[in-house]
């Protein structure tokens, strides 16, 4: 990126520079079963965040519904509302390693439903979805002619024997938008560099796709120096592999968080199989937490450790928090020990 700065002063093609879009096409060519991608159907963005915003603005009319997981990555819910749509949350099942509940999704489809959002690997639960569940979601989309929106920004952050299956590979016959970027796998979140890849039949969605194109043009282009990092990142050494290996830092931190949480009486946590988070549950029989935001604030003030309340991820109860597993293992262990001590004496 530094070497490219002298050539990156001007605006670029509104979809992004061709060399980066081609590098993204080759990346997906190496993904077994991924449908053909045309470089014209790749859009670069100032992070996945901007591309989510553009997608929702292009897609939604007043009152259109979008199925979004609960817990969710809340930008999806916010951008659905801002785009004039109505977010409808489907449940992910904690007793089944946080896999989406297919029956719940099916029961929430209405004539106004336009799309299903899938976040895999998941923020905040760390779940990595099975082929069976992804096929089940594709079946529902097929039956009701729904668009698939698949946020796969953690697809290379996997632990143990977890395997990521891209949504587009189980739904090559459906219109599917796959979102990814440099923020997590290449740890350059501040560069603001993401991409959107459109696969499947497009004839029936001309207006929507023209909308994306128009919105891409109205922002002129994504920031250009960061676009030059894409090809280098995708074709260079994949340093994430060392971090997620059993002796790697991210793996050790995930283990430290999970072990520490499981050791606290009345706290349980599904082992995160991917991403950078843990989403533990506080047994309501043991801990009475009527307001999870108040709990998080009190813990911050008392122990100087910041969690995020589960309700911040549109989780319908007040019995979860999210932990980011990015600090060093000893820092995570210390913070979780403090959480255990705090819980033992906290009263609402
Ligand atoms: C599931 C998910 N999608 C998207 C993003 C945002 O990504 P970007 O930095 O590319 O905007 C995040 C960031 O935390 C995320 O967790």
């Amino acid at each position: 990126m530094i070497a490219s700065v002298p050539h990156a002063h001007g605006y670029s093609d509104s979809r992004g520079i061709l060399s980066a879009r081609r590098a993204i096409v080759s990346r997906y060519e190496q993904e077994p079963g991924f449908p053909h991608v045309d470089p014209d159907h790749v859009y670069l963005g100032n992070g996945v965040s901007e591309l989510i915003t553009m997608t929702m603005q292009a897609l939604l009319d007043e009152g259109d519904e979008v199925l979004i997981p609960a817990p969710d990555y809340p930008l999806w819910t916010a951008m659905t509302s801002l785009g004039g749509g109505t977010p409808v949350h489907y449940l992910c099942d904690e007793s089944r390693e946080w896999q989406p509940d297919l029956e719940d999704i099916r029961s929430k489809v209405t004539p106004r439903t336009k799309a299903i959002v899938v976040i895999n690997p998941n923020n905040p639960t760390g779940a990595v979805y099975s082929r069976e569940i992804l096929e089940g979601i594709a079946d529902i989309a097929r039956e009701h002619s729904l668009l698939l929106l698949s946020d796969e920004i953690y697809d290379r952050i996997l632990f143990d024997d977890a395997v990521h299956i891209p949504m587009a590979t189980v739904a090559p016959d459906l219109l599917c938008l796959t979102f990814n970027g440099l923020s997590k796998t290449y740890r350059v979140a501040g560069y603001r560099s993401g991409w959107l890849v459109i696969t499947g039949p497009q004839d029936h969605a001309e207006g929507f796709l023209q909308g994306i194109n128009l919105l891409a043009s109205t922002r002129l282009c994504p920031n250009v120096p960061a676009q030059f990092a894409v090809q280098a990142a995708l074709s260079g050494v994949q340093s994430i592999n060392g971090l997620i290996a059993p002796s790697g830092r991210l793996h050790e931190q995930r283990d430290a968080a999970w072990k520490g949480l499981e050791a606290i009486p009345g706290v349980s946590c599904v082992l995160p199989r991917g991403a950078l988070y843990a989403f533990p549950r506080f047994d309501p029989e043991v801990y009475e937490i009527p307001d999870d935001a108040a709990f998080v604030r009190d813990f911050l003030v008392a122990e100087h450790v910041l969690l995020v309340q589960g309700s911040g991820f549109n989780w319908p109860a007040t019995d979860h928090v999210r932990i980011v597993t990015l600090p060093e293992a000893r820092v995570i262990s210390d913070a979780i020990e403090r959480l255990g001590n705090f819980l033992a004496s906290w009263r609402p």
Side-chain angles (χ1 to χ4, degrees):
M1 191 173 95
I2 292 167
S4 303
V5 166
H7 319 289
H9 293 174
Y11 297 127
S12 71
D13 183 303
S14 61
R15 284 167 303 191
I17 57 174
L18 188 58
S19 57
R21 286 186 285 126
R22 284 204 176 125
I24 291 163
V25 169
S26 347
R27 177 202 196 268
Y28 286 106
E29 275 168 0
Q30 288 158 40
E31 198 84 67
F34 204 90
H36 169 74
V37 183
D38 189 310
D40 284 350
H41 300 153
V42 178
Y43 288 84
L44 271 71
N46 295 306
V48 163
S49 306
E50 184 189 40
L51 296 163
I52 293 174
T53 308
M54 281 163 47
T55 300
M56 291 313 193
Q57 287 182 350
L59 179 68
L60 299 172
D61 290 324
E62 206 68 28
D64 283 343
E65 294 171 9
V66 180
L67 288 161
I68 299 174
D72 69 348
Y73 176 63
L75 186 68
W76 282 103
T77 298
M79 288 307 136
T80 298
S81 302
L82 202 62
T86 304
V88 176
H89 291 106
Y90 65 82
L91 288 176
C92 295
D93 186 349
E94 189 169 21
S95 68
R96 292 190 191 152
E97 297 198 326
W98 289 115
Q99 301 282 318
D101 180 334
L102 295 179
E103 279 320 301
D104 195 56
I105 298 181
R106 206 176 277 286
S107 72
K108 288 176 174 160
V109 176
T110 76
R112 292 306 303 265
T113 309
K114 280 247 167 131
I116 306 181
V117 173
V118 174
I119 304 171
N120 177 38
N122 192 270
N123 177 6
T125 64
V128 179
Y129 297 165
S130 67
R131 178 174 295 279
E132 192 191 348
I133 288 289
L134 293 168
E135 285 176 351
I137 294 173
D139 285 344
I140 298 171
R142 207 168 276 124
E143 263 168 56
H144 300 276
S145 305
L146 304 178
L147 171 68
L148 288 166
L149 301 173
S150 193
D151 182 340
E152 302 183 359
I153 196 154
Y154 299 103
D155 71 336
R156 301 271 160 98
I157 305 185
L158 302 167
F159 303 114
D160 313 319
D161 55 354
V163 176
H164 175 259
I165 300 168
M167 187 78 223
T169 62
V170 302
D173 56 324
L174 300 177
L175 185 59
C176 179
L177 273 54
T178 302
F179 298 81
N180 208 326
L182 299 189
S183 288
K184 315 293 177 175
T185 299
Y186 302 94
R187 304 174 302 288
V188 288
Y191 287 11
R192 312 309 299 125
S193 184
W195 60 82
L196 155 61
V197 166
I198 303 171
T199 51
Q202 309 194 357
D203 295 349
H204 64 295
E206 219 175 298
F208 164 55
L209 297 172
Q210 269 174 6
I212 291 199
N213 211 36
L214 189 67
L215 289 166
S217 308
T218 54
R219 65 168 182 177
L220 300 180
C221 65
N223 94 79
V224 178
Q227 294 186 46
F228 282 96
V230 172
Q231 186 182 11
L234 298 188
S235 58
V237 174
Q238 302 301 299
S239 55
I240 191 74
N241 292 337
L243 295 170
I244 60 172
S247 57
R249 192 166 64 75
L250 290 176
H251 194 288
E252 280 178 359
Q253 290 163 194
R254 188 277 313 247
D255 282 354
W258 182 71
K259 283 184 192 146
L261 290 164
E262 285 278 313
I264 304 174
V267 176
S268 57
C269 184
V270 174
L271 181 68
R273 310 285 314 280
L276 304 166
Y277 313 97
F279 199 58
R281 174 176 188 263
F282 302 143
D283 183 346
E285 306 272 306
V286 182
Y287 304 109
E288 191 200 341
I289 303 179
D291 178 346
D292 56 356
F295 171 80
V296 162
R297 186 201 53 219
D298 290 355
F299 180 49
L300 174 65
V301 170
E303 293 293 338
H304 301 177
V305 176
L306 180 62
L307 308 169
V308 184
Q309 66 275 18
S311 59
F313 301 91
N314 291 294
W315 181 243
T318 54
D319 55 357
H320 284 75
V321 294
R322 186 192 72 169
I323 290 174
V324 180
T325 58
L326 281 173
E328 284 174 33
R330 65 178 174 78
V331 177
I332 291 185
S333 299
D334 173 55
I336 292 176
E337 200 179 313
R338 292 195 212 183
L339 175 64
N341 295 338
F342 182 77
L343 272 167
S345 59
W346 186 75
R347 297 288 170 272

